[in-house]
Amino acid sequence: MLTLVPAPAARLRCRHCHLTITEQELGADCCPECLEQFKIRRRDFEAIASGGGEPVRYRCETCGMIIDV
C-alpha cells in the first residue's frame, strides 16, 4: 500500500537578511536572524513559490521506499 507524502510547508524569505523559514517556525514573530545579528525586529517577508513542477511523493508502507511521480 502507498501513502501520499505531504508537500513541504510554505516558506518565507526575509527581505533583509534572506533567511528562509517556514510559516510554522516563524509564527507571528519577527525574523530571528535580524533580531540576533542586528537587534532589529523586522517582519518584512516574501513568500517563496513552491515551484509547481515538483513531483508528487508516495511512500511504501511495507518497505518505506519513497516514490516520486
Side-chain angles (χ1 to χ4, degrees), residues 47-64:
I48 298 176
S50 64
E54 292 182 16
V56 176
R57 301 185 101 188
Y58 294 93
R59 182 184 42 187
C60 176
E61 290 182 359
T62 306
C63 68

Side-chain angles (χ1 to χ4, degrees), residues 29-44:
D29 205 4
C30 62
C31 174
E33 187 72 17
C34 286
L35 182 60
E36 183 179 322
Q37 294 261 326
F38 309 111
K39 310 297 186 237
I40 299 172
R41 294 183 177 273
R42 292 186 172 138
R43 293 176 175 86
D44 191 15

